[in-house]
Amino acid sequence: MKTDRTTRVLAASMAALFVLVWFVAWVSRDEPDEVVRDYLEALSAGRTAEALEISRAEDVPSSPFLRPEAMDGGWTVDEVEAPDLVEGGIPDFENEDVYSVDYRLSGDRPGQFHLAEDGWSWRIENPLVYVQFTPIVYSFVQVGTVRAPLPDDGSPGFWMFPGVYRPYADLSFEALAPKQPQLVVAPRWDRYRYSPEFAATAAGNRIAQTAADTVVDDCVALRTAKCTMALEYQSDYDTGTDTVELEDVTAQRWRVVRRPVVGVRGSLREGDAYGPLETHVVTPGVLRLDATGLDRYDEPVTFSQTCEITKFRLTVRPNDAGALTFPRDGKPVHVKLDCTNAGA
């Protein structure tokens, strides 16, 4: 009997101890905002493996940029706000509490995590961000010192940690330079879109100018397989006394008075036929046209025109070594002109 009583007392003591341990662990566990701060500070220090342990992430996808070499070091966690209850709130074993935690990174960029109860701790449900790079200028994506080829499916997206990055920053290419020195990944959701932008250097603009001069030479030599010239605002030439439709020009001679000065910029629209980089006119060029044709009464007339080159778009693409190329894909370059009567 004494043995049974001792056994019951021991069992009761063990149960009480278990409850006490559970209570102490539950009370002393980190709050969701503390988990978020620990996670972000580990990432800021480049301790990516530790950060994943803190997040208790499940089914971490494969990605070349989930490495400390991809991240920029020394960024700050500006603020982590108190958690807000999203769902749950019943302290039992059947209902998980889920909280949202807002945070701000370098430059006051806002983001948000969702955290769910995970035993005695919390699990960050969205520890990673799927970053889509578009449009793509090179045939690879580079973040920090990590370079990755584009996926075979043509979808330029990669899983990344929240934090601060320097995309394409270590490229030693002469013609182009990144316009955005930092990429701050801190979205409220697990999807983010990033558009890399590049500016042409002085050397890059000189290379583009040489290519544009070649096209202008094709134009004035009437090599129409490589170049077409069209009036921007007119459908005919004003001779001063009458008009001559474009199709009624019987002979023409073009000369370069002043070549256009061009530069390189991003295309106006994503998916533009000229993108993601193209030339544009900085200073209009001037051409001289001496021609003969038929006026609206079918009478022959000789006339001259002074034509400004108002638009000149030439596709620009860098190869993987950083050299600029100007692919035409078998299509002529379209040069837009604004012409006025120059007298006979």
Side-chain angles (χ1 to χ4, degrees), residues 215-223 227 229 253-256 287:
V215 173
V216 171
D217 289 343
D218 291 341
C219 289
V220 298
L222 298 179
R223 299 181 183 130
C227 173
M229 292 188 290
R253 177 174 177 263
W254 293 90
R255 288 177 291 164
V256 176
L287 303 179

Side-chain angles (χ1 to χ4, degrees), residues 55-85:
S55 72
R56 304 178 79 88
E58 298 178 338
D59 300 324
V60 178
S62 175
S63 174
F65 300 130
L66 296 179
R67 299 161 53 187
E69 295 85 356
M71 304 193 76
D72 195 14
W75 46 274
T76 59
V77 183
D78 294 341
E79 182 181 12
V80 177
E81 298 183 5
D84 288 328
L85 184 65

